[in-house]
């Protein structure tokens, strides 16, 4: 199967045109006409992931986060991004990213996270547009009612369980009282989503990349925060895409997944 054919099927799920204007998804390195028989799926194109792709003789590396984000003036082995690109190109491995287009597309990151948390009738936290085939809004994050109200600590334990996390950080455990029936989830970085979550009636924001001031300021406004980490809430991309490729792209492709690699360790 040609690289361009694989990409065509992936873009049926999350078209590049649906990505944010600042983003850089798509084919970042490689040959569109190249043959693909083995795909490695990962969240990030780290050194370890690139080495694994080469070791396993993959033809296609699919990641959520783009390897190339800022403009490059040089590609050589003197820079960590350039080093990865050189290795991929030398091994004839195409590198493709599905980023904010996957974050917002129906049935993808936001909806997957909402489903894991058993949210009812989730709506986008940040609307990006209307989906062409349905006319319904799509976008970043989701807000909805939980299947059953629960306390903040109970909800934090649920987030740990559903996203298979080693730990979470909780803001507002002593301040946000009673049970919580409505919440918002924004996988990845959601530190700018507190206002949108409050506007939609959420009492908790489940996200990543929350800093000290983001957390305490949210609590001061009546919004608890559960920080599961950027990687922690987005690694669901890997399992989902493995299944999607098998069922919707080609069952004849060999698919391997990068092993879990939480970038933060708590002691």
């Amino acid at each position: 199967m040609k690289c361009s054919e694989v990409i065509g099927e992936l873009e049926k799920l999350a078209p590049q045109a649906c990505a944010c204007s600042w983003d850089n998804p798509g084919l970042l390195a490689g040959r569109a006409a190249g043959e693909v028989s083995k795909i490695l799926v990962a969240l990030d194109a780290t050194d370890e992931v690139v080495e694994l792709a080469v070791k396993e003789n993959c033809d296609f590396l699919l990641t959520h986060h783009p390897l190339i984000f800022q403009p490059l003036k040089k590609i050589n082995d003197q820079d960590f991004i350039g080093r990865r690109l050189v290795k991929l190109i030398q091994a004839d491995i195409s590198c493709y990213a599905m980023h904010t287009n996957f974050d917002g597309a129906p049935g993808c990151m936001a909806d997957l996270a909402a489903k894991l948390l058993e949210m009812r009738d989730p709506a986008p936290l940040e609307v990006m547009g209307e989906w062409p085939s349905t006319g319904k809004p799509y976008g970043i994050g989701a807000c909805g009612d939980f299947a059953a109200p629960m306390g903040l600590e109970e909800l934090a334990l649920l987030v740990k369980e559903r996203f298979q996390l080693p730990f979470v950080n909780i803001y507002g455990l002593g301040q946000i009282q009673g049970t919580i029936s409505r919440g918002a989830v924004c996988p990845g970085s959601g530190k700018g989503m507190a206002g949108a979550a409050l506007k939609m009636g959420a009492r908790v924001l489940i996200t990543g990349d929350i800093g000290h001031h983001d957390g305490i300021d949210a609590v001061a406004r009546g919004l608890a925060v559960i920080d599961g980490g950027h990687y922690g809430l987005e690694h669901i991309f890997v399992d989902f895409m493995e299944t999607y490729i098998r069922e919707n792209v080609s069952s004849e492709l060999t698919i391997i997944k990068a092993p879990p690699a939480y970038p933060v360790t708590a002691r």
Side-chain angles (χ1 to χ4, degrees):
M1 190 172 189
K2 291 193 178 300
C3 176
S4 58
E5 294 174 323
V6 174
I7 291 172
E9 295 301 320
L10 296 179
E11 293 203 358
K12 290 179 181 178
L13 174 68
Q16 286 188 56
C18 295
C20 295
S21 59
W22 49 262
D23 200 8
N24 190 40
L27 182 61
L28 304 180
R31 299 182 299 115
E35 290 292 332
V36 174
S37 62
K38 195 172 189 179
I39 296 176
L40 172 60
V41 184
L43 196 72
D44 298 281
T46 61
D47 288 333
E48 294 77 11
V49 165
V50 171
E51 291 287 354
L52 180 61
V54 174
K55 179 182 176 181
E56 293 290 339
N57 295 313
C58 294
D59 314 293
F60 194 96
L61 172 58
L62 172 62
T63 66
H64 178 51
H65 296 128
L67 175 56
I68 302 173
F69 208 82
Q70 302 296 335
L72 298 175
K73 291 185 177 181
K74 300 176 182 178
I75 298 177
N76 57 47
D77 62 359
Q78 305 304 301
D79 166 83
F80 73 98
I81 298 295
R83 182 171 65 246
R84 296 171 190 172
L85 288 168
V86 168
K87 287 183 179 180
L88 289 169
I89 292 169
Q90 282 182 324
D92 198 15
I93 300 171
S94 295
C95 182
Y96 184 85
M98 301 170 72
H99 193 208
T100 53
N101 48 325
F102 184 86
D103 285 336
C108 294
M109 192 72 83
D111 286 343
L112 290 172
K115 185 177 181 180
L116 279 176
L117 296 170
E118 298 181 22
M119 284 184 174
R120 296 172 174 169
D121 302 319
L125 267 179
E126 181 180 290
V127 175
M128 299 169 70
E130 291 186 351
W131 201 250
S133 61
T134 64
K136 293 182 179 180
Y138 70 93
I140 304 296
C143 185
D145 296 325
F146 297 113
M150 65 193 87
L152 180 56
E153 187 167 9
E154 182 183 0
L155 179 57
L157 291 175
L158 179 69
V159 172
K160 279 186 64 178
E161 174 197 340
R162 296 296 169 84
F163 287 89
Q164 302 176 22
L165 304 177
F167 66 92
V168 295
N169 292 322
I170 310 170
Y171 293 86
L173 190 57
Q175 298 97 325
I176 306 299
Q177 302 293 328
T179 57
I180 296 172
S181 60
R182 186 170 178 82
V185 61
C186 184
S189 178
K191 60 184 177 181
M193 289 294 194
L198 285 165
K199 187 176 181 181
M200 296 184 72
R203 292 193 65 212
V204 62
L205 172 62
I206 301 159
T207 189
D209 291 352
I210 294 296
H212 170 77
H213 294 290
D214 305 313
I216 64 173
D217 290 352
V219 173
R221 300 169 71 183
L223 182 72
V225 178
I226 298 173
D227 186 341
H230 196 123
Y231 178 94
L233 298 188
E234 287 195 327
H235 70 87
I236 56 177
F237 169 84
V238 177
D239 285 343
F240 175 82
M241 289 309 304
E242 177 196 25
T243 301
Y244 180 85
I245 293 169
R246 291 191 193 282
E247 296 180 353
N248 299 277
V249 179
S250 174
S251 60
E252 296 181 0
L253 292 169
T254 299
I255 305 163
I256 60 175
K257 299 182 296 183
Y262 291 93
V264 178
T265 302
R267 292 291 190 226

